[in-house]
Amino acid sequence: MTSLTAFARPRPSARPSWAEPPTTLGRGAKALILTVIVGVVIFPFITIISTSFASDKQIIDAGGYVLFPTHPTLAAYRAILTGGVVTHAVVVSVGITVVGTLLSLITTTGLAYALSKPGVLAGKPVLLGVLFTLLFAPGIIPTYLVIKSLGLLDTYWSLILPGLMTAFNLIVMRAFFMNLPRDLLDAARIDGAGDLTVLWRIVLPLSKAVIAVIGLFYAVSYWNSFFNALLYLNDTSKWPIQLVLYTYVVKGKSLSAEQLGIQHIPPPQSIQMAVVVVALVPIVLVYPFLQRYFTRGVLTGAIKG
Amino acid sequence: MSLSRSRESPTLSGPATTVDEPSRGPAPEFARRRVPLRTRLRNDRTMLLLMLPGVGFLIVFYYVPLLGNVIAFQDYQPFVGFRHSQIVGFTNFQTLYNDPDFWNAVRNTLILSVFQLILYFPAPLGLALLLNSLLSTNVRRFVQSIVYLPHFISWVLVVTLFQEVLGGAGLMNGFLRHHGMHTINIMENPGWFKLVVTGQVIWKDTGWGTIIFLAALITVDTALYEAAAVDGAGKWGRLWHVTLPSIRSVTILLLVLRLGDVLSVGFEQLLLQRNAVGPGASDVLDTFVYYNGVVDGNWSSSAAAGLAKGVIGAVLIYVANRVAHAFGEAGVYSK
Amino acid sequence: MTRSLQRRTVLKLGAAAAAVSPGILAGCAKVKSTNTGAAASADVKLPTYVPFDGPRPDLAGTTQGIQPGYKSFPKKLVQSVKATPGDGSKVTALTEIWETPPPPMGKNAYWQEMNKKLGVTLNLIMGTDPGYPDKFAAIVAGGDLPDLMWIPPNQGITHVADLLTAKFTDLTSLLSGDAIKEYPNLAALQPSAWKTAVVDGKIWGAPIPQGVFGQIYVGNNKVWDPVGGFQCKNADEFMSKCKELTRPKQNKWALEPYYANAVHMFGQWFGAPNGWRQNKDGTLTNRFETEEYEAAVAYAIKLRKAGYFYPDPNITDSHTPYLQGKIAAVVQSGPGAIGARSKDRVADPTVKDELLIPFGHSGGPGVHDLGYGSIGYTAIKKTDEKRVRMLLRVFDYLAAPFGSSEWLFLNYGTKGEHFTYDPHGAPAYTKKGSLEVIGVESGVSTMCHSSEYVYDAQYPDDVDYLFGIQKGLLKVAQADPTIGHYSDTYTKVGGKLTNDVYDTVTDIVAGRDPISALKQAVNRWKSGGGEAMRKEYEKSIGKHH
């Protein structure tokens, strides 16, 4: 008897009590859609990763991209990583990303929170001032002149400060703040909590998801800094990773170079793919940490009472 | 319990109208109309401090350089500078207005935007809903950690990948040729171009776009689902009555933001494919500006086009926001 | 890459590392325009040419443009610079690198040694592609110019004459005629290069030579040999060879799909002029207006309809499929073509790139459009004469020719540390060498280097081959009559107008427009500035002949 019951004991279900059991059709349809989506996305990545490990000969035989490297080699990665230039640039980029994301989050959260309180002094004009930035952009040269006049040329700050806050991120964060249960905030205020306390004790803990998301957006944008570096940095030792990696791709393929008669050996396909992989690694590492903010249940119970 | 979230309803902006009605009695606690400036300063001083970094940033790194757009009204030369470059008034704008290529670019831009709005915009939302409805966290985590990756591939690689599969010398046509069939050249066909481009955007950015929606979806109070189930709502009913309304404001917000950006539909992606389908089909405002402004170092022309873009975007955001208000939504800002 | 002023677009393009391929310039930059308004009146006296008295080449060069050929690395090197050029000061230079960045000066033994040899601390501001014009413009707008700035042609730097007069030093008195003899290595630069450093009747900088040849069809010999070789006698023969070669089922096509470049090549078989044709009565006709050009377009249409072009005009890199044999022939700029063999041998030693000597479409000789002659020049910002002379001496060192000890150091570094000699007696990098030298050398040689040469110790037969090709090309060469003359309109709208015509040509060949669209495009070109350009050039030429 016991063995039977052991058999029959139902596994704990992830299904919440209020949801119905899934139908086979529903499950099947979902599975199909998801498989297609994942497949369509993964297939090129497998190609990219495989090509980065493939031997030059195999690449030429296969016509450019291989699906499975028969004689895997680390040559491409070695070519990129020796010499310390790439590793140094990674350190630079990590520094910029961490510092930048932190500063951006502080700035954006502060402003978003302030603007989310209805009727706050200067709220409307500031909000419109932010919205305005969605439409018009300052030019490269004027921005350069501002950076120069602040003495920030050829410094890391020139990679952080110009992009410190974006209107999109601000508006999204503000919208999330405004969607928080009004009664909770009002209750706290009635209890005598000041704006800062409300922010620290209530708003932030409830906004982990949006802060994670906006933080991710900023981090990605700092990690990808490219054009700012090109424009503001003179010292190549300050170059961030995207710029350095980019030169591996441009080497020998630049049409301007071709037009100007500068001759180089075109980089093998494997190096180009290795460059893509190296640029992706940090994001792939960071993203899973943020994923747990996207699971349900963060809010349950928070509002009761 | 109501199934729709209370959102920015009139109560929050304060019953300001009541101040005009003397018979109402003393002004309610949150009426702001008559509060003197000094009091407001005192009340909001923390908030103002919190605003400071952001506003400071905006002024120094946005509004000050923005003044540089004055070159749209000049014949700007970098070595002459802003102050001394000759002023030409609206000539740069007129040149744009008279250029049929400019209007071709505007038309392509708008058409492409509409395509992307209809086909691309719902995609991340749909995928997010799908992921949200998954029971197995493992599957969901797995899909989530894959599906955002294409966002990080450069357009060069994306176009190349599409070519490898769909191009004239790609896998698909190789297959057709092998079996003696007629080849289909999707990527060289100007008529199909806008669909192809939208398809590329969907492939590249859907996964990334789900992130925001997922973040919105998890803020939905599960107690609402429970209540709905109790009320007899099935899977689709809950979707319609709980999930969608809960993320309605975020969705509309994103929509309005997207509309403000409607004239930026891509640059590199389109530049890369210009040769295959011709500028008639592929030229959008940003590529037009590139060929007209940048190639000859014509900074003034680029600035003029940028200003024109901004004005159109402003009109669109304003209109879209009003429409949102008409539906009772907060939109991007409230009147 | 963006040069649009939209910040968002800039950030979007900042994406992943394999970001911007130069393919996006395919539409405009693929075809080299030969004018930039590099102006000279024939009145200015170019620097006297004094050839380098160094190791004798195996195949002697000529002043018409044949580059000297060396089949082995010279055993005895000549010291071309007698004294250290610099005065110990700091020199900043804006240049572009085409390689991966080198370790910074503090960690770079080669760089430090170079500073010692130059006698200055050379700080290089390294631009990359794309982005150089933006950086250039920003630096100019900022007002704080570096000592030296590389000024390339065709990169959107406009109003050059005014810019130079305002911010840079007029070097005419220091370099014209025999004055150049003070800088022997600069005197060894070919006159065809010096022409391009003259704007508005004055000499503004040291040119960076790149040989006289223009665009050439380069063919993969492994593909063309089975059908009778790359050289042809007439257009029909070329077409039938293409037909034999094109086997889509085996992924093989004849020509790369950049139609505007192809039409340029075909134009040379129909006798289209190089840029402009000078008529007997002194007027100028632009090549777009000629029947020959139209005939070239019609020929291209025939080839495209027959399917001989690779079917994906989007490809950003035609060279890799070329090496694989997927594309049989690609168009390369002159110097690129001359250097093609040695470059491609590294990737695949069995490939022997063939260069096509233009033939007449119905037999007889064709014409070869000569190229620009340099990649621009490096100008010196306004400063006192003593410093200018010092900087010219630095240029003199940097322009040390092949066969000099300075050349060896500049390109390979210190013996033992950065390079060793291989069994052929040719220098080869050590690991440290390829790390430290290549990046710096790329930046330095972009701003200044010696005249072109052909050197291949590993495959000396290639040197003979290229010599023969150069002779064949020069026999049918034609120059652009407007080079050396200035057109204000050209600098303002020339690039855009040319691009517009190329766009139409691409549309026509692709079949999106009928060939009658060419005449309309030419009319637009004329009214958009073409007529003005014509008048300006005619005036300038008439004045000086």
Side-chain angles (χ1 to χ4, degrees):
Chain A
M1 233 16 198
T2 29
S3 50
L4 268 174
T5 39
F7 241 115
R9 184 165 23 110
R11 271 176 300 174
S13 169
R15 185 159 37 95
S17 50
W18 38 260
E20 318 90 357
T23 63
T24 5
L25 182 61
R27 267 197 159 155
K30 280 189 196 171
L32 183 62
I33 298 179
L34 286 178
T35 317
V36 167
I37 291 180
V38 170
V40 157
V41 166
I42 265 204
F43 175 70
F45 275 97
I46 295 186
T47 315
I48 291 175
I49 298 178
S50 298
T51 311
S52 73
F53 285 110
S55 64
D56 285 348
K57 182 163 183 332
Q58 187 189 3
I59 293 179
I60 290 191
D61 290 342
Y65 295 92
V66 310
L67 208 39
F68 187 75
T70 47
H71 297 94
T73 160
L74 285 175
Y77 291 96
R78 237 180 277 136
I80 300 179
L81 294 171
T82 47
V85 175
V86 167
T87 28
H88 179 78
V90 167
V91 171
V92 166
S93 281
V94 167
I96 295 174
T97 304
V98 168
V99 172
T101 307
L102 211 56
L103 291 179
S104 285
L105 279 178
I106 294 176
T107 313
T108 311
T109 312
L111 188 55
Y113 173 61
L115 290 179
S116 70
K117 184 175 180 190
V120 68
L121 182 63
K124 193 80 179 302
V126 170
L127 181 61
L128 285 176
V130 169
L131 285 177
F132 191 76
T133 71
L134 287 173
L135 301 165
F136 300 94
I140 295 175
I141 293 185
T143 319
Y144 179 90
L145 292 176
V146 167
I147 300 261
K148 181 168 193 288
S149 59
L150 291 173
L152 295 179
L153 268 190
D154 209 23
T155 65
Y156 293 117
W157 290 112
S158 66
L159 302 181
I160 296 181
L161 292 180
L164 193 64
M165 188 178 74
T166 66
F168 182 85
N169 290 345
L170 177 86
I171 291 177
V172 166
M173 201 180 257
R174 172 181 175 262
F176 272 73
F177 286 165
M178 280 168 36
N179 253 359
L180 291 175
R182 188 65 29 202
D183 15 342
L184 202 58
L185 302 176
D186 291 347
R189 293 227 167 84
I190 290 179
D191 279 350
D195 289 328
L196 213 48
T197 323
V198 172
L199 173 67
W200 190 249
R201 286 245 146 114
I202 303 181
V203 172
L204 287 184
L206 287 181
S207 306
K208 291 211 181 103
V210 74
I211 292 181
V213 168
I214 301 293
L216 179 66
F217 288 169
Y218 276 126
V220 165
S221 129
Y222 282 118
W223 182 258
N224 284 343
S225 39
F226 174 84
F227 202 74
N228 278 353
L230 220 143
L231 202 56
Y232 302 127
L233 295 181
N234 293 339
D235 185 357
T236 49
S237 67
K238 295 205 182 76
W239 277 13
I241 187 64
Q242 298 295 350
L243 195 47
V244 171
L245 288 179
Y246 174 67
T247 57
Y248 279 93
V249 176
V250 145
K251 216 160 103 100
K253 273 220 302 195
S254 158
L255 264 161
S256 279
E258 152 70 22
Q259 180 189 8
L260 294 167
I262 318 250
Q263 312 160 28
H264 296 286
I265 303 163
Q269 201 78 304
S270 54
I271 288 197
Q272 295 180 48
M273 295 300 112
V275 159
V276 175
V277 173
V278 168
L280 274 179
V281 160
I283 314 281
V284 172
L285 289 179
V286 165
Y287 188 77
F289 287 107
L290 296 171
Q291 273 218 59
R292 52 196 173 101
Y293 292 109
F294 303 155
T295 50
R296 208 180 302 169
V298 172
L299 253 195
T300 324
I303 311 190
K304 304 266 167 69
Chain B
M1 179 183 304
S2 79
L3 292 181
S4 63
R5 289 228 143 228
S6 71
R7 53 192 113 251
E8 266 234 298
S9 49
T11 50
L12 295 181
S13 29
T17 49
T18 63
V19 176
D20 295 327
E21 293 162 24
S23 56
R24 253 300 201 102
E29 196 172 354
F30 293 122
R32 298 247 188 237
R33 267 277 184 87
R34 287 266 193 86
V35 181
L37 185 59
R38 211 171 299 149
T39 326
R40 290 184 76 185
L41 255 168
R42 189 162 37 92
N43 287 344
D44 287 335
R45 66 177 181 282
T46 333
M47 290 308 212
L48 288 174
L49 268 167
L50 287 173
M51 283 201 243
L52 214 48
V55 173
F57 160 79
L58 274 181
I59 294 179
V60 173
F61 289 99
Y62 180 80
Y63 280 101
V64 168
L66 194 65
L67 298 173
N69 274 330
V70 71
I71 67 177
F73 302 96
Q74 295 175 321
D75 178 17
Y76 175 71
Q77 295 305 319
F79 68 94
V80 176
F82 298 107
R83 269 176 291 177
H84 305 292
S85 285
Q86 190 193 17
I87 300 190
V88 296
F90 280 93
T91 316
N92 292 318
F93 293 94
Q94 266 174 346
T95 323
L96 287 178
Y97 185 82
N98 291 331
D99 190 343
D101 290 340
F102 175 73
W103 294 106
N104 180 48
V106 170
R107 188 180 50 239
N108 281 338
T109 310
L110 289 175
I111 296 180
L112 208 44
S113 256
V114 169
F115 265 80
Q116 290 189 6
L117 221 52
I118 299 181
L119 294 176
Y120 167 65
F121 188 82
L125 177 56
L127 186 54
L129 290 172
L130 179 57
L131 288 175
N132 194 49
S133 75
L134 286 180
L135 296 175
S136 157
T137 350
N138 290 335
V139 173
R140 180 148 54 135
R141 282 237 177 108
F142 175 70
V143 176
Q144 261 178 250
S145 47
I146 303 246
V147 93
Y148 73 98
L149 286 174
H151 174 79
F152 294 96
I153 303 189
S154 67
W155 275 118
V156 175
L157 205 44
V158 173
V159 171
T160 308
L161 289 171
F162 266 74
Q163 251 172 248
E164 291 282 322
V165 176
L166 298 174
L171 289 176
M172 185 185 77
N173 280 317
F175 179 80
L176 290 174
R177 237 179 255 124
H178 201 67
H179 290 80
M181 295 191 269
H182 229 48
T183 55
I184 312 174
N185 210 337
I186 297 186
M187 294 190 73
E188 235 193 320
N189 189 325
W192 283 79
F193 183 63
K194 304 206 167 50
L195 266 178
V196 171
V197 163
T198 311
Q200 291 166 346
V201 174
I202 292 180
W203 183 84
K204 188 176 194 284
D205 279 334
T206 300
W208 183 251
T210 58
I211 295 182
I212 275 200
F213 287 113
L214 285 173
L217 283 169
I218 71 135
T219 64
V220 176
D221 191 355
T222 47
L224 293 172
Y225 288 121
E226 205 170 324
V230 161
D231 282 350
K235 199 165 41 175
W236 300 103
R238 285 200 301 277
L239 180 70
W240 188 253
H241 285 113
V242 181
T243 320
L244 287 183
S246 305
I247 58 170
R248 194 164 100 164
S249 51
V250 169
T251 311
I252 296 209
L253 176 74
L254 290 176
L255 200 53
V256 174
L257 286 178
R258 174 72 200 117
L259 277 174
D261 212 18
V262 76
L263 294 178
S264 301
V265 286
F267 174 74
E268 195 185 350
Q269 176 194 16
L270 299 160
L271 214 49
L272 286 167
Q273 301 181 78
R274 197 173 191 267
N275 273 342
V277 295
S282 68
D283 227 10
V284 294
L285 270 177
D286 287 333
T287 56
F288 172 83
V289 164
Y290 172 75
Y291 277 111
N292 276 274
V294 178
V295 165
D296 281 316
N298 197 340
W299 302 93
S300 292
S301 173
S302 310
L307 286 183
K309 255 178 100 172
V311 168
I312 301 181
V315 169
L316 284 171
I317 279 199
Y318 180 75
V319 167
N321 213 49
R322 286 298 281 260
V323 171
H325 286 169
F327 279 90
E329 286 296 329
V332 178
Y333 62 93
S334 39
K335 266 282 165 233
Chain C
M1 131 181 219
T2 184
R3 289 144 176 190
S4 104
L5 302 182
Q6 289 288 338
R7 178 84 63 80
R8 254 191 318 283
T9 334
V10 170
L11 286 182
K12 267 193 229 153
L13 292 180
V20 176
S21 151
I24 64 170
L25 294 175
C28 60
K30 242 314 195 173
V31 186
K32 198 161 75 126
S33 71
T34 52
N35 289 328
T36 60
S41 51
D43 300 342
V44 92
K45 202 156 181 269
L46 288 182
T48 316
Y49 173 63
V50 180
F52 173 57
D53 190 20
R56 283 201 36 190
D58 298 292
L59 299 162
T62 68
T63 39
Q64 276 79 45
I66 297 194
Q67 298 162 189
Y70 299 85
K71 296 201 218 182
S72 59
F73 197 76
K75 297 226 178 2
K76 237 178 141 271
L77 298 175
V78 171
Q79 186 183 357
S80 66
V81 175
K82 306 297 177 225
T84 309
D87 60 4
S89 60
K90 278 216 194 83
V91 172
T92 38
L94 176 68
T95 178
E96 191 160 340
I97 63 167
W98 313 90
E99 294 283 349
T100 53
M105 201 193 298
K107 296 207 186 90
N108 194 321
Y110 164 76
W111 200 334
Q112 290 163 17
E113 183 62 32
M114 182 174 72
N115 288 339
K116 264 205 223 113
K117 289 209 181 348
L118 288 176
V120 293
T121 310
L122 187 60
N123 285 324
L124 295 173
I125 304 176
M126 307 207 198
T128 58
D129 178 59
Y132 189 80
D134 308 273
K135 205 166 170 87
F136 189 94
I139 289 181
V140 168
D144 233 340
L145 267 54
D147 294 295
L148 306 171
M149 292 179 88
W150 172 53
I151 302 190
N154 308 340
Q155 297 247 338
I157 297 173
T158 54
H159 292 81
V160 175
D162 298 328
L163 171 64
L164 291 168
T165 318
K167 301 277 183 182
F168 294 93
T169 310
D170 175 5
L171 300 170
T172 316
S173 53
L174 297 172
L175 299 177
S176 170
D178 281 350
I180 194 75
K181 291 193 180 160
E182 192 168 335
Y183 313 100
N185 289 335
L186 292 181
L189 297 179
Q190 297 270 356
S192 54
W194 275 110
K195 260 206 264 190
T196 65
V198 182
V199 178
D200 219 17
K202 308 195 187 74
I203 303 179
W204 292 98
I208 306 119
Q210 68 164 15
V212 301
F213 299 105
Q215 287 187 327
I216 304 176
Y217 250 136
V218 176
N220 186 331
N221 70 310
K222 295 206 288 198
V223 178
W224 290 92
D225 282 346
V227 298
F230 197 23
Q231 308 298 341
C232 295
K233 292 204 207 50
N234 53 49
D236 288 332
E237 187 185 347
F238 184 81
M239 201 155 112
S240 62
K241 282 189 185 171
C242 286
K243 181 170 175 185
E244 255 190 273
L245 289 177
T246 303
R247 273 166 268 155
K249 284 212 179 147
Q250 289 155 30
N251 265 340
K252 288 193 188 317
W253 285 270
L255 307 170
E256 67 169 7
Y258 303 127
Y259 301 137
N261 278 352
V263 169
H264 181 216
M265 294 293 99
F266 302 151
Q268 293 176 130
W269 307 344
F270 286 88
N274 183 352
W276 300 82
R277 165 184 299 144
Q278 196 170 14
N279 304 317
K280 289 202 186 44
D281 58 359
T283 57
L284 291 171
T285 311
N286 188 281
R287 66 186 151 131
F288 295 140
E289 301 170 293
T290 59
E291 298 173 337
E292 291 87 350
Y293 193 81
E294 191 170 339
V297 174
Y299 183 72
I301 297 179
K302 267 206 286 194
L303 290 183
R304 200 269 312 161
K305 280 212 180 117
Y308 302 151
F309 284 101
Y310 186 84
D312 274 324
N314 281 335
I315 49 171
T316 50
D317 169 29
S318 60
H319 208 74
T320 314
Y322 165 79
L323 287 173
Q324 293 161 357
K326 267 192 187 165
I327 299 180
V330 294
V331 177
Q332 293 200 316
S333 66
I338 303 272
R341 261 206 193 188
S342 63
K343 189 173 57 162
D344 290 337
R345 291 267 209 186
V346 178
D348 183 351
T350 57
V351 170
K352 290 205 268 189
D353 292 311
E354 306 255 334
L355 278 61
L356 183 63
I357 298 183
F359 45 83
H361 68 102
S362 48
V367 292
H368 171 72
D369 288 350
L370 292 178
Y372 186 65
S374 78
I375 59 169
Y377 50 91
T378 301
I380 303 179
K381 86 165 178 198
K382 273 197 182 353
T383 183
D384 61 274
E385 186 173 313
K386 189 149 170 278
R387 188 162 173 83
V388 171
R389 283 184 183 275
M390 186 272 293
L391 291 170
L392 284 176
R393 288 199 299 273
V394 171
F395 277 156
D396 190 48
Y397 188 104
L398 296 178
F402 183 84
S404 63
S405 50
E406 294 84 4
W407 183 97
L408 181 60
F409 171 76
L410 284 172
N411 286 278
Y412 283 94
T414 317
K415 171 149 179 259
E417 197 181 346
H418 299 113
F419 74 91
T420 53
Y421 284 107
D422 73 359
H424 295 284
Y429 289 116
T430 61
K431 227 167 136 216
K432 185 165 189 219
S434 52
L435 180 65
E436 290 189 353
V437 176
I438 295 185
V440 181
E441 192 269 337
S442 174
V444 166
S445 68
T446 302
M447 30 171 232
C448 189
H449 69 225
S450 63
S451 274
E452 297 292 302
Y453 51 88
V454 177
Y455 158 64
D456 200 328
Q458 204 180 0
Y459 304 102
D461 293 338
D462 288 355
V463 181
D464 289 312
Y465 173 78
L466 287 171
F467 197 75
I469 289 283
Q470 290 177 78
K471 274 195 6 205
L473 289 173
L474 275 179
K475 252 201 245 157
V476 293
Q478 61 179 13
D480 183 334
T482 60
I483 285 196
H485 295 272
Y486 186 64
S487 156
D488 205 42
T489 313
Y490 181 81
T491 59
K492 287 212 190 95
V493 293
K496 170 180 173 346
L497 289 180
T498 311
N499 277 337
D500 285 345
V501 177
Y502 284 148
D503 281 342
T504 310
V505 167
T506 308
D507 279 340
I508 294 177
V509 176
R512 293 187 282 270
D513 276 342
I515 194 160
S516 52
L518 182 61
K519 283 242 162 36
Q520 295 166 10
V522 172
N523 286 337
R524 280 199 303 273
W525 175 90
K526 281 201 252 189
S527 57
E531 285 293 356
M533 285 195 272
R534 191 206 316 276
K535 295 272 178 328
E536 289 165 4
Y537 279 130
E538 282 172 357
K539 194 159 142 219
S540 176
I541 294 181
K543 242 201 307 190
H544 303 297
H545 281 283

